[in-house]
Amino acid sequence: MRLDRSFYRATILSSMAVWATYLVSVFYRRPISTSVYIHVWVLLQGLMLILPGWLFAGFLAKRYPRFGWTVGCGWIVGIPMLVLCDAIVYSWMSDHLLSARMYRVTTDLRGSLIAHAPLRSVVATLQKLIVFFLLAAMGYWVSGWIARSSYLCHLRLSRLRRSLVVASVTMFFAAMFLTTAFYWRPISKHMRSSPSLHPFCAAGLFRDSRNAVSKDAAIDLPARMGTLFRQDQEHRLKWAGLDFDQVLQRSDRPTDVLIVVIESLRRECLDELVMPNLHELSSVGVLCKNHFSGGNASSHGMFSLVSGLEAIWFERPVRFRPLMNRLFRQSGYRLGLFSNQDDWRLFYMDAFLNSEQYDRYECEPKDWVDGDRRTVARAMKFLDGDRATDAKTPRLAVVYLYSTHADYRSDVVDRIFQPAADDDFPIPYSIDDRKAVWNRYCNSAHTVDRLIKPLLRRDRIIIVTGDHGESFLEDGTCGHGTRLSEFQNMTPAVLYAPGIRPLTITHPTMHADLLPTLVDLADLPMVGESPFDGVNLMDEAQRHDRVFVTRDYMTNEVCLIGPWTINPSEPFGYRCEVDRGSGTIELTEPILPNGDRAVGR
């Protein structure tokens, strides 16, 4: 039997694709393991995925030359391409290219994410894809050249030689399969812990299934959780949206209010070296040590802040009638919004951050440190305006600062943490670059802390918090909005009011608590029942043993937070699937601070 040239070429091209798939899987980010069986399994996965393409190009092409060869070669080249794209996507959002989350990104969220994608990261990704296409084209040409010039395609094989070849190949694959079967338990564990490194995971053939957790067995759910989606919550939402005077009486001596929101603020920044002015304020005010944003993205964090509601209600009509604005306007306050960002519409925040909701609305396109400097100056002018003609009108200013967003800008005088990454650092970055990027981030937080110092006067009510956190590879991703985790969903919160008693709260708190607490600090008694999901943090009885949720931006998942969150021997939280249409919630699994499943808990 003489080897067919197309069969021989398909075999060469498939071999190249198998090794390309292996190299991308193993070395795209860093070497995966020193265990030989893991490498054998990764190689075997690539071979099995490429096998159908080899069959098309090597055998079907004999009967249907054009169709078989085109489909076969496309399949063979497509597998390493799929694995490369999956590795790129996973490094960004900790999920696969072929996933429900990625589908939502490409359909519902692409506009907002494209607008915020760093240009250099987009260019770097395009460069990788172009290099791959060039290598694939070169491999295709080389396979043809070898097939034409090699004597093997003219070699005639006797029955004995064919049997030896088949036996050798069979024994080789049998050895690989037996090795994999013998070590399957550690292999499957590795696939669950590092899914981005396995071609089967990229192709959607292996997923770490999430088994629903029995509510009775998992945790003792307090009454608050039991009523989360019941009729009383619907009643409170309607109550929150009603347009009537909900303030019982105005304060005799109203106090100005300042709310500072700092982009992507990690709670570790509340340090006397990183943010000394905010650290000093926390020592004389209320510090929430285990504080959660409404979600891991700006839209959900800001919604909870201005509404006093959990972010699961973001899609409801109450979004268009923020409680904070209505309550303080009813109390005679002038409201101002000052921001170094103005793309609220991209994230559907224009419903509650717009010129109709504020008497002074001054938002400009992001301009990093210079923009933050101008934003602070405008807020100071608003708060310290002409009191000779308007001395009795209290004011509430919301100040939104952007420099701590990637790519973490700072003034030269504030670059005290070294070595720090330069302006051209890649996003996503490798674990080797993490320390330098973290230092760069701390420098930007140091700049913001210096800029807000003139605003932190002790004669006004002050809230300083972040819109969400930021991950620096602790949960496998860099940035925010991609994973339910301590690093993306937690952010510091500091409250201050004249005469307040210094207090450190260790129980879990959330953004929805800040508005009811602010109403109490501003002495604004309200009519009827509370329309808030949050509680007054000044009331010790209200903040104990609570259950609440913090939301994921890209999915319908939330993380259930409760007393267990601050207990190291218990899960950080419980991942839940929310169906906002039917009003149901299903607990799926306990999770660790990095968002991984808490195995054995």
Side-chain angles (χ1 to χ4, degrees):
M1 183 189 76
R2 178 177 293 179
L3 292 176
D4 182 77
R5 180 175 293 177
S6 62
F7 174 84
Y8 186 43
R9 184 178 184 183
T11 302
I12 296 171
L13 187 62
S14 297
S15 300
M16 292 179 178
V18 168
W19 283 106
T21 302
Y22 168 79
L23 292 173
V24 170
S25 300
V26 174
F27 294 109
Y28 177 74
R29 299 298 295 274
R30 59 182 182 273
I32 59 173
S33 173
T34 57
S35 302
V36 175
Y37 58 82
I38 295 293
H39 289 265
V40 170
W41 175 235
V42 171
L43 191 63
L44 192 57
Q45 290 175 74
L47 193 150
M48 287 188 287
L49 289 175
I50 290 167
L51 182 61
W54 175 74
L55 293 175
F56 267 90
F59 292 94
L60 188 64
K62 293 180 180 180
R63 181 178 291 270
Y64 306 102
R66 180 172 297 180
F67 174 76
W69 183 255
T70 302
V71 173
C73 288
W75 187 289
I76 292 169
V77 175
I79 292 301
M81 180 68 177
L82 171 66
V83 173
L84 174 62
C85 292
D86 183 79
I88 293 172
V89 169
Y90 204 94
S91 68
W92 273 97
M93 51 185 288
S94 192
D95 211 339
H96 296 283
L97 179 66
L98 304 179
S99 65
R101 179 175 295 190
M102 188 61 187
Y103 175 78
R104 182 162 188 258
V105 168
T106 56
T107 55
D108 299 340
L109 306 176
R110 64 179 182 272
S112 59
L113 296 180
I114 290 174
H116 281 256
L119 179 60
R120 64 178 180 277
S121 300
V122 175
V123 171
T125 300
L126 291 176
Q127 288 175 341
K128 294 173 185 175
L129 298 178
I130 291 172
V131 169
F132 176 86
F133 277 116
L134 292 176
L135 291 175
M138 183 181 298
Y140 184 83
W141 179 83
V142 169
S143 67
W145 177 79
I146 294 176
R148 288 191 302 270
S149 60
S150 176
Y151 79 95
L152 289 176
C153 64
H154 304 289
L155 183 66
R156 290 183 179 272
L157 295 178
S158 65
R159 180 173 297 181
L160 177 60
R161 288 180 176 179
R162 289 203 307 270
S163 299
L164 289 174
V165 170
V166 171
S168 299
V169 172
T170 302
M171 291 178 62
F172 173 75
F173 284 117
M176 295 182 71
F177 276 108
L178 288 174
T179 301
T180 300
F182 185 79
Y183 291 103
W184 179 247
R185 179 171 292 181
I187 285 175
S188 60
K189 182 179 180 181
H190 191 274
M191 292 180 75
R192 291 187 178 94
S193 63
S194 304
S196 65
L197 306 176
H198 292 272
F200 272 10
C201 296
L205 301 180
F206 183 93
R207 288 289 191 268
D208 185 11
S209 59
R210 295 170 180 172
N211 299 318
V213 178
S214 167
K215 294 183 180 180
D216 294 331
I219 44 177
D220 180 18
L221 292 175
R224 168 67 184 88
M225 184 59 192
T227 60
L228 185 62
F229 286 87
R230 292 184 184 169
Q231 188 174 3
D232 63 336
Q233 176 63 27
E234 293 291 338
H235 175 71
R236 291 196 306 111
L237 284 176
K238 293 178 181 178
W239 182 265
L242 291 177
D243 189 12
F244 72 99
D245 198 338
Q246 292 173 281
V247 178
L248 186 61
Q249 65 182 33
R250 300 184 179 185
S251 174
D252 294 333
R253 287 183 284 181
T255 307
D256 285 349
V257 176
L258 168 69
I259 301 175
V260 179
V261 181
I262 302 174
E263 253 287 354
S264 310
L265 186 62
R266 281 277 291 263
R267 55 180 181 161
E268 292 89 339
C269 289
L270 198 59
D271 178 86
E272 58 183 345
L273 295 179
V274 182
M275 303 186 79
N277 297 303
L278 186 55
H279 180 267
E280 180 185 354
L281 184 70
S282 70
S283 66
V284 295
V286 177
L287 169 62
C288 301
K289 292 196 69 173
N290 294 292
H291 187 79
F292 287 82
S293 172
N296 54 18
S298 302
S299 53
H300 298 148
M302 292 299 292
F303 169 79
S304 290
L305 186 62
V306 301
S307 68
L309 299 172
E310 292 173 333
I312 51 176
W313 313 116
F314 181 82
E315 287 79 9
R316 296 295 187 94
V318 72
R319 178 171 98 242
F320 295 87
R321 307 188 58 77
L323 269 167
M324 183 192 74
N325 301 61
R326 299 206 329 264
L327 293 175
F328 278 86
R329 271 185 168 169
Q330 291 168 9
S331 302
Y333 276 76
R334 289 193 66 205
L335 276 61
L337 174 63
F338 308 91
S339 172
N340 182 18
Q341 176 176 305
D342 64 350
D343 56 355
W344 312 122
R345 184 180 297 274
L346 285 174
F347 300 91
Y348 306 104
M349 290 189 283
D350 57 321
F352 50 89
L353 300 177
N354 57 62
S355 57
E356 294 182 2
Q357 302 289 354
Y358 292 89
D359 302 294
R360 184 77 62 82
Y361 177 85
E362 298 187 21
C363 301
E364 63 173 88
K366 62 181 180 184
D367 191 22
W368 304 104
V369 175
D370 289 337
D372 282 350
R373 189 177 289 109
R374 291 191 296 269
T375 297
V376 169
R378 294 186 186 112
M380 290 177 59
K381 184 178 180 181
F382 173 75
L383 289 169
D384 304 329
D386 187 3
R387 294 298 188 178
T389 58
D390 196 15
K392 295 183 179 181
T393 303
R395 309 189 182 195
L396 182 151
V398 178
V399 181
Y400 191 101
L401 304 177
Y402 197 78
S403 292
T404 44
H405 192 285
D407 49 6
Y408 320 125
R409 304 293 181 89
S410 61
D411 275 337
V412 175
V413 296
D414 299 305
R415 296 171 187 172
I416 60 175
F417 298 96
Q418 296 295 334
D422 58 27
D423 291 345
D424 296 323
F425 78 96
I427 301 176
Y429 44 85
S430 69
I431 192 67
D432 297 329
D433 297 325
R434 182 193 178 277
K435 179 61 176 177
V437 176
W438 173 258
N439 285 341
R440 180 182 174 91
Y441 171 75
C442 290
N443 290 334
S444 69
H446 196 66
T447 291
V448 170
D449 181 77
R450 177 174 55 82
L451 294 179
I452 66 174
K453 181 179 180 180
L455 291 172
L456 306 181
R457 283 178 24 182
R458 302 302 193 261
D459 60 348
R460 57 181 56 136
I461 299 171
I462 301 171
I463 295 177
V464 182
T465 188
D467 54 346
H468 48 73
E470 186 84 343
S471 174
F472 292 86
L473 298 179
E474 298 95 341
D475 60 8
T477 68
C478 51
H480 54 269
T482 58
R483 192 169 175 84
L484 287 170
S485 71
E486 167 193 338
F487 312 101
Q488 296 191 32
N489 291 75
M490 296 189 74
T491 189
V494 177
L495 301 90
Y496 174 83
I500 198 170
R501 179 175 58 88
L503 175 66
T504 297
I505 300 175
T506 57
H507 290 83
T509 58
M510 61 173 172
H511 266 19
D513 297 330
L514 299 181
L515 181 54
T517 306
L518 176 60
V519 168
D520 177 71
L521 293 176
D523 192 21
L524 305 179
M526 297 181 60
V527 176
E529 61 187 285
S530 171
F532 306 117
D533 282 339
V535 301
N536 177 11
L537 297 177
M538 297 296 100
D539 186 341
E540 183 177 1
Q542 291 188 45
R543 63 177 185 255
H544 283 194
D545 299 327
R546 291 190 303 141
V547 172
F548 58 84
V549 297
T550 179
R551 186 172 170 180
D552 181 46
Y553 178 61
M554 292 187 177
T555 66
N556 288 332
E557 293 180 343
V558 298
C559 182
L560 192 64
I561 303 298
W564 53 84
T565 301
I566 56 176
N567 187 341
S569 64
E570 296 191 51
F572 170 74
Y574 288 83
R575 194 192 316 274
C576 305
E577 290 281 352
V578 177
D579 185 342
R580 289 184 295 276
S582 62
T584 59
I585 182 169
E586 179 186 10
L587 280 75
T588 57
E589 62 182 1
I591 63 173
L592 300 171
N594 66 355
D596 289 342
R597 172 188 289 183
V599 180
R601 299 195 184 189

